[in-house]
């Protein structure tokens, strides 16, 4: 069976599985992003605040993603750290129109980066500066400044502005993540 | 290697419990804690900040609403706001709260940020004499100067004070009086009071989204409770003084308590079905902040103290503060079950107190004049402050922040407040106490007698010792000597070292000898008598000799040492050496 799997892998028939954590504050659009990335026939119509977490799956050209869509509400954020070990990549979603809570997002990001399960691993982090369509939204450059992303030196990271409701900017981010994961494996 | 300074920086940051979310030093917000509130005005789950801005000078009073870091809307207010509350006035969906702004004798109600209703306080009774005088003026029976004289007479004597119109008239110059009288004489006289404080009281349910009544305190020393829909007066209560700060709990239809701090420096507690205050707390100085924490009341006083009382007026504690209090608020985190008191001080600090312990200190850029804690936007633990210079500060409590009672900086050590586990009084103890109480005189006498006997016995023994020079210290003036003895060895042979010292200031001692007295069946000594050389004052002379133990029965005895003076039979010094049991003999 192992041999068959390997053979399928060489031939590119079977896609590699990766576990991805989707983190970010409440109301930043994590579930909406994951929902947009799923095939259109599997998409949900109504997005409600996530309780605890939910596991979603979607596929790209070469990878099969298993996403842990964590709840961003304050009382569930202490669950995040229990899944850091399993995660091979992180998607961090920021509501770029919520200037007030940018410090909270930064605080949660710093806690994440200093966690022993994450600190010394070279896992790629993809940032979505979501809700770019809103009038008072900050640019992705401004968001990366406010979150001090330039201080992340030991991990590959990428930020892209997105509008999860319309699906804009998501593909760019996922393509980057896919490249990163493939280079990491080889 | 480079991670070390990074970690140090992290620990410095993590020691703070607050995140600086927003600071606008020129927000142009001039307000007090009574005119600031957080409410979900649009029913979208995002709380807005509603501020009654007092403006600068006479104008610019505004009702401002903030969303996040930006101003959402502005409504002009006609008069200075004295209080602002948000409350649900009906059961209609969506459940959006109304805003009540108290200013002067009116309450302006806003729904959806649009003026909705204006409530006017009932008029007060007008002095009939004043009414008479103005009636005469209306009929042109008296000229303005006579009117002035008569009004002055009424002002000085009457129980009911004059109306605002008459008081303003008395301030006028003579040439302005005529036109003033002509302008106003046709209108009836009214006397109005103004609102000093406002609060809300749930009508008949304790839920967070239950309909609330408005509770208002007035300059006429009354408290009114208004119906939320019809704005009729449901209840009226009177106070001995003018209320300034107010806290309301309970439900109108069930049971409620209104705690009011008054301008006479007292705090009154009103309850349902009582027209007069039920309890009164007299403070040593004027209250500047009032917060209720559970069942206790915490008051910030003008003399830089904070005091806590139960609702029945029993004082619990007092804390001394480093600077005068500017305002106070409650820090309530129901999700974490944590409550504390926020105290803003005039030295640009905000202290967080849990009971009387400081658990956190926040330094601000300016003196804080208003403070508000609650859910803002989507964040539960948000602290909003406005400053004297018109700035707006927003801080967010960290999710990981832990308030520890132990990290209080000042105050007595914790050990002081731990109660000792004192056992109950036993029957024996009680009986003993009873006996001591009944026979006190006899016991005292017996004790005194025994004490005298003890002293006599001690004195006798001392005299005897002195007479026979049995002490190791010589007190004679000619030969002041000191001696101690050391026994070394396990046996059967011991080394005996005598240390002899002349304690005189400058005189040497001569012609001394040492003699030993011992049981000759037990011990043998090589020399039982020898002479001592001249003793120079201050020096220590060790003299060694060897003692052989003859017994193998494991018994020991005393060896007596005498220091003698030639030609005298009584010794100068005596030392008794307790010899140790010989242990070495058993080995042989």
């Amino acid at each position: 069976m192992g041999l068959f799997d390997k053979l399928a892998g060489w031939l590119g028939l079977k896609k590699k599985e990766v576990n991805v954590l989707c983190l970010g504050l409440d109301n930043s659009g994590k579930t909406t992003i994951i929902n947009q990335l799923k095939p259109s026939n599997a998409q949900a119509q109504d997005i409600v605040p996530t309780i605890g977490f939910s596991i979603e799956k979607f596929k790209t050209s070469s990878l099969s993603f298993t996403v842990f869509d964590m709840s961003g509400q304050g009382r569930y954020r202490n669950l995040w750290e229990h899944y850091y070990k399993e995660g091979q990549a992180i998607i961090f979603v920021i509501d770029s129109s919520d200037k007030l809570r940018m410090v909270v997002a930064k605080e949660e990001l710093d806690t994440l980066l200093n966690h022993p399960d994450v600190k010394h691993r070279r896992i790629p982090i993809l940032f979505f500066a979501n809700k770019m369509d809103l009038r008072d939204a900050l640019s992705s450059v401004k968001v990366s400044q406010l979150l001090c992303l330039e201080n992340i030196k030991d991990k590959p990271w990428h930020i892209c502005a997105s509008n999860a409701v319309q699906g804009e900017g998501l593909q760019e981010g996922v393509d980057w993540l896919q490249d990163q994961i493939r280079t990491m494996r080889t | 290697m480079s991670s070390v300074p990074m970690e140090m920086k992290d620990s410095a940051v993590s020691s703070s419990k607050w995140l600086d979310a927003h600071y606008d030093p020129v927000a142009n917000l001039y307000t007090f804690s009574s005119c600031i509130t957080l409410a979900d005005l649009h029913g979208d789950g995002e709380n807005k900040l509603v501020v009654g801005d007092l403006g600068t000078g006479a104008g610019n009073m505004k009702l401002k609403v903030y969303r996040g870091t930006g101003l959402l809307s502005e409504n002009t207010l006609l008069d200075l706001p004295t209080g602002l509350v948000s409350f649900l006035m009906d059961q209609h969906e969506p459940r959006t709260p109304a805003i009540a702004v108290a200013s002067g004798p009116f309450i302006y109600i806003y729904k959806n940020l649009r003026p909705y209703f204006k409530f006017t306080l009932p008029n007060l009774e007008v002095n009939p004499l004043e009414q008479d005088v103005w009636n005469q003026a209306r009929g042109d029976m008296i000229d303005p100067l006579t009117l002035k004289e008569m009004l002055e007479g009424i002002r000085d004597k009457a129980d009911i004070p004059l109306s605002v119109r008459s008081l303003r008239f008395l301030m006028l110059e003579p040439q302005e009086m005529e036109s003033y009288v002509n302008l106003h004489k046709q209108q009836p006289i009214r006397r109005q009071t103004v609102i000093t404080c406002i609060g809300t009281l749930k009508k008949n349910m304790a839920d967070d989204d239950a309909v609330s009544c408005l509770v208002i305190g007035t300059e006429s020393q009354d408290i009114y409770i208004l119906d939320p829909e019809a704005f009729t007066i449901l209840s009226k209560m009177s106070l001995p003084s003018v209320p300034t700060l107010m806290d309301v709990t309970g439900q109108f239809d069930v049971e409620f308590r209104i705690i009011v701090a008054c301008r006479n420096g007292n705090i009154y507690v009103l309850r349902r079905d009582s027209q007069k205050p039920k309890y009164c707390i007299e403070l040593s100085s004027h209250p500047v902040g009032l917060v209720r924490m559970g069942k206790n009341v915490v008051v910030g006083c003008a003399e830089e103290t904070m005091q806590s009382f139960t609702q029945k007026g029993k004082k619990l504690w007092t804390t001394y503060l480093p600077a005068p209090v500017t305002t106070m608020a409650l820090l309530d985190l129901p999700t974490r079950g944590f409550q504390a008191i926020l105290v803003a001080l005039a030295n640009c600090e905000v202290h967080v107190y849990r009971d009387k312990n400081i658990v956190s200190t926040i330094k601000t850029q300016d003196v804080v004049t208003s403070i508000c804690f609650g859910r803002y936007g989507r964040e539960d633990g948000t602290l909003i402050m406005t400053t004297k210079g018109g700035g707006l500060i927003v801080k967010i409590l960290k999710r990981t922040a832990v308030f520890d009672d132990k990290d209080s900086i000042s105050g007595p050590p914790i050990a002081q407040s731990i109660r000792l586990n004192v056992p109950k009084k036993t029957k024996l103890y009680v009986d003993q106490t009873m006996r001591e109480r009944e026979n006190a005189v006899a016991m005292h006498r017996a004790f005194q007698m025994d004490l005298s006997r003890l002293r006599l016995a001690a004195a006798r023994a001392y005299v005897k010792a002195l007479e026979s020079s049995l002490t190791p210290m010589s007190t004679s003036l000619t030969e002041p000597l000191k001696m101690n003895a050391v026994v070394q060895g396990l046996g059967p042979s011991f080394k005996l070292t005598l240390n002899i010292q002349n304690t005189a200031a400058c005189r040497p001692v001569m012609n001394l000898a040492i003699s030993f007295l011992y049981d000759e069946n037990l011990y043998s000594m090589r020399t039982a008598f020898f002479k001592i050389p001249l003793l120079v004052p201050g020096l220590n002379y060790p003299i060694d000799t060897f003692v052989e133990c003859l017994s193998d029965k494991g018994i020991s005895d005393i060896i007596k040492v005498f220091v003698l003076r030639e030609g005298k039979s009584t010794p100068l010094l005596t030392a008794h050496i307790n010899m140790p049991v010989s242990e070495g003999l058993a080995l042989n």
Side-chain angles (χ1 to χ4, degrees), chain A residues 25-27 49 74-80 97-101 103-104 107-108 111 114 119 136 151, chain B residues 3 6-7 9-10 13 19-22 46 67-69 376-379 382 394 396 398-400:
Chain A
L25 300 189
D26 46 317
N27 199 37
R75 66 189 116 152
Y76 296 117
R77 276 180 223 156
N78 51 1
L79 296 178
W80 292 4
S97 68
D98 194 351
K99 278 173 242 172
L100 190 79
R101 293 207 300 163
V103 277
V104 184
E107 172 73 14
E108 294 298 348
T111 316
N114 285 319
K119 195 168 185 179
D136 49 353
N151 291 343
Chain B
S3 68
M6 186 71 189
E7 274 167 15
K9 193 183 136 213
D10 283 348
V13 172
L19 298 169
D20 295 313
H22 180 59
E46 245 185 274
R67 178 181 173 277
T69 55
Y376 182 43
R378 302 182 64 89
E379 198 63 41
T382 313
V394 181
I396 294 175
K398 278 189 194 172
R399 180 171 63 88
T400 51

Side-chain angles (χ1 to χ4, degrees), chain B residues 107-402:
Chain B
I107 297 175
Y108 300 96
I109 312 288
Y110 290 82
K111 282 207 90 174
N112 292 321
L113 294 173
R114 288 195 192 87
Y116 174 78
F117 184 75
K118 174 176 152 183
F119 170 80
T120 312
L121 280 177
N123 288 326
L124 298 177
E125 193 187 341
V126 176
N127 194 327
L129 290 171
E130 186 189 3
Q131 187 76 59
D132 263 6
V133 173
W134 278 99
N135 283 343
Q136 286 175 24
R138 183 161 50 169
D140 286 329
M141 284 182 275
I142 48 171
D143 62 342
L145 281 174
T146 330
L147 179 64
K148 187 186 175 189
E149 271 174 32
M150 291 172 90
L151 286 176
E152 274 174 346
I154 297 167
R155 184 184 62 184
D156 297 342
K157 284 180 211 136
D159 300 330
I160 301 169
L162 292 180
S163 64
V164 175
R165 187 211 289 187
S166 305
L167 291 172
R168 188 168 291 171
F169 174 73
L170 292 178
M171 285 162 61
L172 297 175
E173 298 295 322
Q175 63 269 22
E176 294 168 326
M177 285 178 175
E178 183 84 47
S179 60
Y180 185 84
V181 172
N182 288 334
L183 185 66
H184 289 100
K185 67 184 178 186
Q186 296 306 327
Q187 279 101 37
I189 306 175
R190 282 192 299 182
R191 202 161 69 83
Q192 279 185 316
T193 182
V194 293
I195 299 170
T196 54
C197 52
I198 185 165
T200 58
L201 169 63
K202 297 266 186 288
K203 183 100 197 315
N204 47 23
M205 281 195 289
D207 307 351
D208 281 338
D209 60 344
V211 170
S212 298
C213 305
L214 289 180
V215 184
I216 50 177
T218 67
E219 190 70 38
S220 59
Q221 313 183 352
D222 292 316
I223 298 272
Y224 294 97
I225 300 177
L226 305 182
D227 183 77
E229 273 181 292
F231 290 100
T232 49
I233 293 171
L234 292 175
S235 177
K236 182 189 169 190
M237 291 169 257
S238 339
L239 289 168
S241 177
V242 182
T244 55
L245 301 161
M246 185 157 67
D247 184 272
V248 191
T249 49
Q251 295 147 53
F252 179 76
D253 289 342
V254 187
E255 172 64 32
F256 62 84
R257 269 164 211 264
I258 306 176
I259 304 161
V260 223
C262 286
R263 215 173 272 164
N264 63 353
N266 290 353
I267 293 175
Y268 299 100
V269 182
L270 294 151
R271 289 172 64 175
R272 188 182 151 85
D273 303 326
S274 68
Q275 296 298 305
K276 295 271 174 226
K278 185 93 177 152
Y279 303 105
C280 169
I281 304 167
E282 290 185 8
L283 300 171
S284 49
S285 70
H286 279 85
V288 277
L290 176 81
V291 170
R292 181 183 50 81
M293 216 175 139
K295 295 204 158 178
N296 300 333
V297 186
V298 181
V299 195
C301 288
E303 52 172 14
E304 302 182 16
T305 58
M306 195 163 70
Q307 302 177 9
S308 175
F309 299 91
T310 64
Q311 274 184 357
K312 292 189 174 170
K314 190 184 162 209
K315 189 169 183 173
L316 296 173
W317 47 260
T318 302
T319 312
Y320 294 91
L321 302 167
V325 180
T326 55
T327 187
M328 286 169 70
L330 181 70
L331 187 160
D332 189 14
L333 274 175
T335 51
R336 291 198 221 165
F338 181 78
Q339 280 198 329
I341 302 152
L342 292 156
V343 190
L345 301 175
N347 63 353
C348 296
E349 281 184 344
V350 176
H351 289 188
V352 185
Y353 279 90
R354 179 152 174 75
D355 284 339
K356 56 187 300 192
N357 303 323
I358 295 187
V359 290
S360 171
T361 303
I362 305 163
K363 288 221 187 301
T364 54
Q365 293 85 347
D366 193 2
V367 178
V368 170
T369 57
S370 80
I371 198 163
C372 178
F373 184 91
R375 184 181 166 87
Y376 182 43
R378 302 182 64 89
E379 198 63 41
D380 277 325
T382 313
L383 174 64
I384 292 163
M385 299 174 278
T386 68
T387 64
K388 207 174 176 182
L392 173 68
I393 305 170
V394 181
K395 285 180 188 283
I396 294 175
L397 187 66
K398 278 189 194 172
R399 180 171 63 88
T400 51
V402 181

Side-chain angles (χ1 to χ4, degrees), chain B residues 386-544:
Chain B
T386 68
T387 64
K388 207 174 176 182
L392 173 68
I393 305 170
V394 181
K395 285 180 188 283
I396 294 175
L397 187 66
K398 278 189 194 172
R399 180 171 63 88
T400 51
V402 181
F403 287 104
D404 198 357
D405 278 348
K406 279 178 216 151
D407 65 1
S408 57
I409 302 152
S410 60
I414 295 159
Q416 195 170 312
S417 54
I418 296 171
R419 275 174 169 263
L420 293 175
N421 187 16
V422 181
K424 279 194 172 171
K425 286 172 188 163
T426 58
K427 187 170 185 300
L428 182 68
Y429 174 83
V430 175
D431 290 351
Q432 194 73 3
T433 318
M434 289 299 288
R435 195 176 69 85
E436 282 175 11
R437 201 175 288 165
E438 279 159 16
N439 307 317
V441 177
M443 287 169 91
H444 181 72
R445 276 187 193 144
F447 171 75
Q448 287 295 330
M449 179 121 100
D450 288 348
L451 184 65
S452 306
R453 280 188 180 151
L454 177 72
R455 279 179 180 156
L456 180 65
R460 273 185 185 150
Y462 184 63
V463 167
K464 195 183 165 201
L466 280 182
E467 279 173 351
S468 54
S469 294
L470 287 171
T471 54
M473 285 276 284
S474 165
T475 50
S476 83
L477 286 172
T478 47
E479 287 96 10
L481 291 176
K482 200 172 93 177
M483 179 177 73
N484 66 48
V486 180
V487 183
Q488 289 169 317
L490 292 170
S493 66
F494 297 97
K495 184 181 177 187
L496 190 61
T497 310
L498 300 169
N499 291 306
I500 298 178
Q501 197 178 358
N502 180 2
T503 55
C506 52
R507 263 190 31 205
V509 180
M510 288 175 290
N511 300 332
L512 293 183
I514 284 183
S515 157
F516 295 92
L517 186 67
Y518 52 90
D519 186 349
E520 289 185 5
N521 298 322
L522 224 52
Y523 296 108
S524 81
M525 213 173 255
R526 239 170 270 167
T527 45
F529 177 86
F530 44 82
K531 286 195 163 191
I532 302 175
L534 179 137
L535 294 179
V536 175
L539 290 182
N540 190 24
Y541 291 84
I543 294 159
D544 298 339

Side-chain angles (χ1 to χ4, degrees), chain A residues 119-135:
Chain A
K119 195 168 185 179
H120 300 295
R121 284 168 63 198
R122 212 184 129 74
I123 50 175
I125 307 177
L126 170 63
F127 294 92
F128 278 120
N130 199 22
K131 306 197 188 181
M132 66 171 185
D133 53 309
L134 293 185
R135 196 165 45 88

